[in-house]
Amino acid sequence: MNRGASVRFDPAHRLRGTIVAPPDKSISHRAALVGAMAAEPVRITNYLRAADTHSTLRAIRELGALVEVHDEEIVVRGVGLREARETHGPIDVGNAGTLMRLLPGWLAAQAGRAFTLDGDDSIRRRPVDRIAEPLRLMGAELDPTQGRYPPFVVRGARLRSIAYDLPVASAQVKSCVLLAGLAADGATTVSEPAPSRDHTERMLAAAGVGVHRNGRHVTVTNADELEPGPIHVPGDLSSAAFTIAAGVVVPRSRLLIRDVGVNWTRTGYLRILERMGAIVVGDLEEHLDDEIVPTEPLTDLDVTAGPLVGTVVEADEVPLAIDELPLVALLGCFAEGETLVRGAQELRVKESDRIAGVVEGLRGLGAEIEATADGFAVTGTGGLRGGRIDSGGDHRLAMLGAVAGLASREGVEVVGMDAADVSYPGFMGDLGALA
Ligand code: S3P
């Protein structure tokens, strides 16, 4: 496998300036899929131009949607809820777990048609039994490799509505079942053990679908068609999380990150940072109980470097900060005292095993960090020596290594830095502008 270029990140004296957060990956995937499922053209502004979200555009084109890519917007001319076209060969999802888990929700409703999904080496290690089970209960057929992994075939059917209890808090699985529920024969309910990101619910509400939350239960009513109107994708907090972390730990830094999406189901990281004493100021969305709003809130985040203290992250907070937990480990190295993350065993089935990758990676840079079955424990030492870290092809580990380098005493060489292109192709440019 081509590991890609090694890039060295030297210690920075300070970071200053303003950047715009890159477009949200989760919301871009959903916008393209909803566009493909709609009958009328959907205009999408600020769609993420990155490897993962290109995979989604390629997939929906193969399924019959027309996609026009312009500088300022993309326009998706969809095929409707039940008219996806059979593809000639397997649909290649690349590295995109969200595409692999959401798309089958739509494909399951294509009665009499079959679709094969496959992806890269990392995708072939990621479980899909979690979507196979509910989709089978709804009447579709799925046959994951070894019962669990891609490649797999989805055979569409006329779907039954179900009430499904998610065994893990996963927005991807929740979204898959909700998308399938659009074409089922009644109302479909998904119950989640803890709240997870609700972008799908909001986008469906904006598309005129009946979608309601009652405590941990989300119900979607079947629909004849989706009418989403124009979709604007906000900035991605999960990408901005890296520059935020850099601004917090590189001494004397002060940054402004503009247009960050701050849907409360995504801002767990900012609440963790606040407990750690970090100075990050912005207008965050308040916790919404049962309300599903059809919009995504945005703010500018003002980040100032300062001292940190350790914190404990418990299981109920994990889904609201899942992709940012590697950065919590990094910040823990710079904090006073211990930082603990518990109940985060899902990290083991991300683009890589992010518990093993973070612990080995940061230890190699001088961190005092231990892996646990469901997270990690970091003892802050006030800084990091530096050294070499291998992304293993995981975009978030590559960017973690870069931030570690800027804040380290000796600098960090990141092997496989090109993995960042999966979600944040402008990352190096943004760091350069701030340094
Ligand atoms: C995502 C949900 C999360 C997250 C992933 C994107 C989404 O995965 O880790 O990067 O877009 O719904 P899970 O839902 O599997 O936890």
Side-chain angles (χ1 to χ4, degrees):
M1 186 170 115
N2 176 13
R3 281 293 213 228
S6 284
V7 180
R8 207 185 142 70
F9 294 87
D10 288 321
H13 299 298
R14 62 175 199 181
L15 301 174
R16 292 270 160 145
T18 301
I19 55 170
V20 179
D24 191 281
K25 178 159 82 69
S26 283
I27 299 176
S28 294
H29 283 303
R30 286 161 172 79
L33 291 173
V34 162
M37 296 168 80
E40 294 292 318
V42 178
R43 320 183 86 83
I44 307 171
T45 43
N46 205 35
Y47 187 83
L48 175 66
R49 318 279 173 118
D52 254 26
T53 44
H54 278 141
S55 296
T56 301
L57 295 185
R58 194 176 54 221
I60 63 171
R61 276 185 171 128
E62 285 171 19
L63 291 161
L66 295 176
V67 182
E68 290 166 30
V69 177
H70 305 286
D71 287 346
E72 291 302 315
E73 64 177 15
I74 68 167
V75 181
V76 179
R77 294 174 201 278
V79 294
L81 283 174
R82 295 175 183 80
E83 299 300 330
R85 182 173 79 193
E86 235 169 22
T87 58
H88 295 301
I91 298 171
D92 179 7
V93 304
N95 189 248
T98 301
L99 176 59
M100 173 182 67
R101 303 234 180 78
L102 266 60
L103 180 59
W106 180 35
L107 299 181
Q110 311 306 309
R113 272 156 282 159
F115 308 85
T116 303
L117 275 76
D118 200 358
D120 68 8
D121 292 346
S122 151
I123 275 290
R124 286 184 167 199
R125 290 191 296 268
R126 301 189 65 188
V128 289
D129 46 341
R130 49 183 64 193
I131 59 162
E133 181 182 278
L135 293 179
R136 276 186 199 128
L137 291 171
M138 297 179 86
E141 280 177 48
L142 282 87
D143 68 339
T145 304
Q146 295 164 32
R148 196 152 195 237
Y149 301 105
F152 62 102
V153 176
V154 183
R155 276 177 215 290
R158 291 173 67 98
L159 300 180
R160 297 184 280 280
S161 52
I162 55 168
Y164 188 69
D165 234 319
L166 290 178
V168 286
S170 162
Q172 293 181 349
V173 182
K174 172 178 66 175
S175 299
C176 173
V177 179
L178 294 177
L179 293 182
L182 294 173
D185 61 2
T188 294
T189 298
V190 184
S191 306
E192 39 182 4
S196 64
R197 65 189 69 187
D198 70 352
H199 306 305
T200 304
E201 294 91 307
R202 291 184 191 216
M203 206 177 279
L204 292 180
V209 172
V211 48
H212 303 283
R213 172 177 278 278
N214 178 7
R216 51 183 211 92
H217 315 287
V218 184
T219 300
V220 68
T221 311
N222 54 1
D224 290 328
E225 59 181 27
L226 303 182
E227 293 170 350
I231 300 176
H232 180 74
V233 178
D236 197 330
L237 180 59
S238 298
S239 298
F242 293 93
T243 36
I244 294 171
V248 167
V249 289
V250 173
R252 295 177 296 281
S253 294
R254 176 86 193 265
L255 331 169
L256 190 70
I257 308 177
R258 291 188 39 224
D259 299 338
V260 187
V262 283
N263 174 324
W264 76 270
T265 61
R266 290 291 292 282
T267 48
Y269 175 64
L270 298 179
R271 291 186 285 274
I272 295 166
L273 278 176
E274 189 178 18
R275 289 207 299 278
M276 295 181 86
I279 309 164
V280 181
V281 181
D283 189 9
L284 307 192
E285 185 180 62
E286 301 276 325
H287 178 123
L288 307 174
D289 281 327
D290 283 353
E291 197 184 352
I292 295 177
V293 292
T295 50
E296 294 284 349
L298 283 178
T299 195
D300 297 340
L301 292 174
D302 185 343
V303 183
T304 308
L308 299 174
V309 291
T311 191
V312 179
V313 176
E314 299 283 5
D316 56 344
E317 213 173 7
V318 163
L320 308 178
I322 184 73
D323 294 335
E324 294 71 67
L325 294 176
L327 283 168
V328 173
L330 173 69
L331 294 169
C333 300
F334 292 83
E336 195 188 312
E338 213 184 19
T339 297
L340 267 176
V341 173
R342 290 198 271 248
Q345 55 279 4
E346 274 295 298
L347 288 177
R348 295 208 181 268
V349 291
K350 293 298 174 189
E351 285 83 331
S352 65
D353 176 343
R354 285 192 180 146
I355 294 181
V358 164
V359 168
E360 281 160 31
L362 289 179
R363 210 182 263 159
L365 305 180
E368 282 188 26
I369 179 166
E370 299 291 333
T372 60
D374 64 350
F376 28 70
V378 191
T379 306
T381 55
L384 266 185
R385 183 193 62 229
R388 192 165 187 265
I389 187 169
D390 190 336
S391 74
D394 184 332
H395 56 131
R396 298 203 198 276
L397 288 191
M399 293 187 279
L400 172 98
V403 175
L406 300 181
S408 67
R409 292 186 294 276
E410 297 176 6
V412 169
E413 183 190 343
V414 181
V415 181
M417 192 59 219
D418 53 338
D421 290 350
V422 158
S423 60
Y424 194 169
F427 178 67
M428 301 273 281
D430 281 349
L431 282 191
L434 295 173

